[in-house]
Amino acid sequence: MMHKLALVLGGGGAAGNAWLIGVIAGLAEAGFDMTKTADLVIGTSAGATAAAHVRSGIPAAELLAAVLAPPTRPVGQSPEQPPSLPMPQVFERMRAIGAAATSAADLQRAMGAFGLESDSKLGPAAAGQRRALVAARLPCLDWPDRPMILVAVDAHTGELAAFDRDSGVELVDAVTASTAMPGLAPTHAINGARYINGGVRSGENADLASGYANVVVLSPFGGRSGPLPEGQFEGLRREPEWGTDLASQVAALRQQGSRVEVITPDADSLAAMGTNQMDLATRIPSARAGFAQGKREASRVTLR
């Protein structure tokens, strides 16, 4: 027997995170509130942070208002920004790893090795600083009662790590692991293992929604045609035969009997998100564009 509805939130940097919240708020405004109706929420990278907000119990309209509001935390009280390697250097290395990979497993192991290698350059204090920053951005530090999966990758083995409330892992650690970009953030230690960003495996990891009658995928990067702008982490090489690209995962879900709807940024949202989705200045315009798009898209997001 299939479960009813899974919501999949993909990676996409600061702009993608804000766009996800905007779309969810727009859908709710139009009468389809997935903060209440989703039986499972799956989050990867920026989508992991969004998932924690969606499952927090805060109404969708309030989540959007928080994105649109100017920062209220005094600068002196903000968590210290952790160090990172120069972005051009990091993304050059990522492109080289993607080009050399012969399989998804090979790419994931190589990215894990890059993350572990970068740790010594980022310094011993970086991991604690980054965890504090992630914690400060979460509306609640406890796992929700309703099912949620946050995706990371084991830096040593390259294997999938799907964290939920029964994993024995604190929520802030699961989000920190899922968002740990090799080179831009330290690998994150959990119970003796170290983890990197779940987007290394897949920008969406929609295959984890197997068994759900309805699957709604919100993919900040899924609508891009051709190569992503330089500096976009989830633009790592995907091959259909690897099964890690969104189209392959959606096809597999449909073959299993799931009804799948995929929402990707429309022209207005793409313009708002810009070419550097890591830029915090893109958050407000991306959230606004996502909200407008969500209201337009609601008519095709129905349950069976």
Side-chain angles (χ1 to χ4, degrees):
M1 178 179 176
M2 281 191 157
H3 300 287
K4 196 166 186 182
L5 172 62
L7 171 63
V8 178
L9 304 178
N17 174 275
W19 177 81
L20 291 169
I21 297 298
V23 172
I24 289 167
L27 291 170
E29 177 79 5
F32 195 84
D33 189 350
M34 284 191 288
T35 68
K36 298 178 179 178
T37 59
D39 299 295
L40 170 68
V41 179
I42 299 168
T44 298
S45 190
T49 304
H53 282 74
V54 168
R55 278 300 202 220
S56 67
I58 299 172
E62 292 184 23
L63 294 177
L64 176 62
V67 176
L68 298 178
T72 57
R73 185 189 303 270
V75 174
Q77 296 179 21
S78 299
E80 186 175 355
Q81 288 289 335
S84 65
L85 301 182
M87 287 187 68
Q89 174 185 330
V90 170
F91 290 111
E92 180 181 359
R93 179 69 176 275
M94 288 183 180
R95 288 192 295 273
I97 289 172
T102 58
S103 67
D106 184 37
L107 184 148
Q108 289 158 210
R109 286 191 296 268
M111 287 294 290
F114 173 43
L116 293 168
E117 170 194 323
S118 301
D119 283 351
S120 61
K121 300 176 183 177
L122 296 177
Q129 291 169 358
R130 186 162 184 281
R131 187 183 188 278
L133 184 64
V134 170
R137 292 174 175 172
L138 295 179
C140 178
L141 298 182
D142 295 322
W143 281 94
D145 293 331
R146 302 179 68 197
M148 177 174 73
I149 295 173
L150 304 182
V151 185
V153 168
D154 188 307
H156 293 282
T157 67
E159 295 176 350
L160 165 74
F163 297 117
D164 61 19
R165 64 175 292 114
D166 297 321
S167 298
V169 173
E170 291 188 25
L171 176 61
V172 64
D173 290 307
V175 176
T176 305
S178 185
T179 57
M181 298 181 178
L184 297 181
T187 61
H188 192 63
I190 301 175
N191 297 331
R194 304 200 76 86
Y195 296 92
I196 59 171
N197 194 298
V200 166
R201 177 182 185 265
S202 164
E204 298 79 19
N205 292 290
D207 57 317
L208 299 183
S210 176
Y212 282 77
N214 302 276
V215 181
V216 176
V217 182
L218 306 187
S219 176
F221 283 151
R224 300 282 185 174
S225 58
L228 290 168
E230 183 173 332
Q232 301 306 335
F233 174 69
E234 280 82 3
L236 279 171
R237 177 182 164 201
R238 311 289 182 204
E239 298 292 346
E241 59 266 29
W242 295 357
T244 56
D245 65 300
L246 179 57
S248 296
Q249 293 184 347
V250 168
L253 288 169
R254 287 173 175 160
Q255 189 173 20
Q256 295 168 18
S258 298
R259 175 178 179 173
V260 185
E261 291 290 349
V262 179
I263 298 177
T264 59
D266 60 13
D268 290 342
S269 291
L270 286 175
M273 294 163 82
T275 58
N276 179 10
Q277 290 177 258
M278 307 301 289
D279 185 356
L280 293 177
T282 62
R283 284 182 57 77
I284 289 178
S286 297
R288 286 175 174 158
F291 178 68
Q293 183 179 354
K295 289 193 291 184
R296 292 193 296 269
E297 300 277 13
S299 61
R300 67 182 179 95
V301 182
T302 57
L303 302 183
R304 66 178 184 188

